[in-house]
Amino acid sequence: MTQLFDFFSYAWNQISSMRIMDIIDILLVSVLLYYFFRFIKERRAGKLAAGIVFLITAMFLSEWLEMYALNFILENIIQVGIIALMIIFQPEIRSILEKVGGNSMKSIASISDTKTDTALTDMIGELSLAASELSASKTGALIVIERSTKLGDEIKTGVVVDAQVSSFLIGNIFFNKAPLHDGAMIIRDNKIYACGCFLPLSTSQDIIKELGTRHRAGIGVSEVSDAVVVIVSEETGMISMALDGKLQRGYDKLSLKEALTAVLVGEESTLKPIKKIRKMIIEAMNGNGQNNSQQKKDEMKENKRSARSHKFGKNEKSPSDGENGSENDK
């Protein structure tokens, strides 16, 4: 009983001595571990991580059981394990860094963004209409909507178009006899920026076998960036959308428009409070400037009036003073 009391007393002393920064530190570490395990679980790196945990456990067991030869081998393997991990997990590490960098700069870059909801909505409408028409004619298409992660490397492999988004233009580009149909279209700033681009293929083993290179390319670029990818199958005419390495299939014109609106316009709407605050600050500053200028004008007018009245008092007599003087003379 005494040992239990001492344990709770020690635990209470440790908790009572914690600072606010210690609590924040624990919460941040917990969030990082949560997202790390979630990232590992959703990718093929999960099996590699399980193998590494097994090797570390075997090393401690060999040391505890005094298996010197096995322990010597495992220790030397783990000594070079950091370099080996960087080589093995290179695609996953790159994907993490790109997503973290893109998400951290997204809100800062979007404050000064000139895109309007109207242009974005029009682009989504034209894209949805084009996808439904291509689906009806079973014409393959691969359309990438760039967001915060820039796709400059992919754009270099294609041809820069820089045209307004139109369902007719999209249909002409992906026509099977057109020179740019066998590649990806990249939309940047609500415009068709480049066509005929080559995308990185996904190496995920979870992709079903019936999907071809077009779908693997769409999933691949969504794994290494935050782009939204619209895919139209040439064989079945089915419309799909890839986002964050995940593929959703079976869209039509209306459902695709709703999905794109939820992802793209929803993102813009979260930034509206920031833009409104920024606008209010600018208006307040302009209002203060106008008030200050008006105050200066009023002060100048008041000074002129006082100067005139002072001059009048010195050099001239008022009518009332003249009348009073004449009466006194009488």
Side-chain angles (χ1 to χ4, degrees):
M1 190 68 182
T2 305
Q3 294 179 351
L4 185 62
F5 178 77
D6 293 339
F7 171 76
F8 282 111
S9 177
Y10 173 78
W12 173 252
N13 290 331
Q14 293 295 323
I15 294 173
S16 60
S17 62
M18 290 179 63
R19 303 173 301 164
I20 299 297
M21 296 305 297
D22 296 331
I23 299 174
I24 297 175
D25 189 17
I26 293 172
L27 292 175
L28 290 176
V29 172
S30 302
V31 171
L32 288 175
L33 290 175
Y34 167 75
Y35 281 105
F36 174 76
F37 287 116
R38 178 181 169 185
F39 183 85
I40 293 295
K41 182 180 178 182
E42 294 177 352
R43 285 164 173 81
R44 59 188 179 91
K47 296 180 180 179
L48 297 175
I52 293 170
V53 172
F54 175 77
L55 288 177
I56 295 173
T57 306
M59 186 189 69
F60 284 112
L61 286 175
S62 63
E63 184 179 0
W64 181 59
L65 297 174
E66 298 181 354
M67 297 179 180
Y68 300 111
L70 181 61
N71 183 259
F72 174 78
I73 294 172
L74 293 176
E75 283 183 352
N76 284 276
I77 291 175
I78 293 176
Q79 284 179 1
V80 295
I82 297 177
I83 300 176
L85 286 176
M86 293 181 66
I87 296 172
I88 294 172
F89 291 107
Q90 186 268 337
E92 284 76 12
I93 294 173
R94 178 177 177 179
S95 178
I96 291 174
L97 294 177
E98 286 180 347
K99 288 183 181 297
V100 171
N103 293 331
S104 61
M105 297 300 294
K106 185 185 297 183
S107 58
I108 299 175
S110 298
I111 294 175
S112 60
D113 196 0
T114 58
K115 290 192 298 183
T116 60
D117 291 340
T118 304
L120 189 60
T121 304
D122 294 340
M123 185 271 292
I124 292 173
E126 292 291 330
L127 179 57
S128 302
L129 177 59
S132 64
E133 293 175 350
L134 293 171
S135 174
S137 61
K138 292 187 178 181
T139 303
L142 180 57
I143 304 171
V144 182
I145 303 173
E146 184 187 67
R147 296 165 75 190
S148 63
T149 304
K150 299 303 179 183
L151 303 174
D153 294 336
E154 288 75 13
I155 289 173
K156 290 179 181 178
T157 62
V159 178
V160 175
V161 178
D162 197 15
Q164 295 292 333
V165 177
S166 171
S167 60
F168 298 104
L169 180 58
I170 295 175
N172 289 332
I173 290 174
F174 286 109
F175 179 65
N176 58 2
K177 302 297 182 182
L180 299 177
H181 81 282
D182 196 14
M185 173 188 292
I186 296 179
I187 295 177
R188 171 186 285 183
D189 296 334
N190 301 325
K191 288 186 176 182
I192 301 175
Y193 191 80
C195 297
C197 303
F198 295 99
L199 306 179
L201 299 179
S202 175
T203 58
S204 176
Q205 302 297 325
D206 298 331
I207 300 176
I208 57 179
K209 302 298 181 182
E210 66 183 47
L211 298 180
T213 306
R214 182 178 286 110
H215 290 82
R216 285 187 173 273
I219 297 172
V221 74
S222 69
E223 289 176 347
V224 299
S225 68
D226 61 348
V228 182
V229 187
V230 178
I231 309 164
V232 181
S233 175
E234 188 175 358
E235 296 179 355
T236 62
M238 183 177 293
I239 303 174
S240 306
M241 187 176 75
L243 179 63
D244 294 331
K246 298 179 181 179
L247 185 70
Q248 300 291 335
R249 309 177 68 193
Y251 288 97
D252 57 8
K253 177 183 174 181
L254 294 178
S255 60
L256 178 64
K257 186 176 181 180
E258 291 176 356
L260 291 175
T261 302
V263 175
L264 300 176
V265 180
E267 178 186 13
E268 290 291 322
S269 63
T270 57
L271 298 170
K272 283 184 179 179
I274 299 176
K275 294 180 180 179
K276 287 182 178 179
I277 294 172
R278 182 170 175 265
K279 184 177 179 181
M280 290 172 62
I281 293 173
I282 294 173
E283 290 179 352
M285 293 175 65
N286 293 334
N288 290 334
Q290 293 176 358
N291 293 333
N292 293 332
S293 62
Q294 186 66 31
Q295 289 178 0
K296 288 181 180 179
K297 290 181 180 179
D298 295 339
E299 290 177 357
M300 291 176 65
K301 290 180 179 179
E302 188 66 26
N303 292 332
K304 289 181 180 179
R305 290 176 182 174
S306 61
R308 289 178 181 175
S309 61
H310 183 70
K311 183 177 179 181
F312 178 81
K314 282 186 176 181
N315 299 333
E316 298 180 359
K317 290 183 178 181
S318 63
S320 59
D321 291 341
E323 292 176 359
N324 292 332
S326 60
E327 289 179 356
N328 292 331
D329 291 335
K330 290 179 182 181

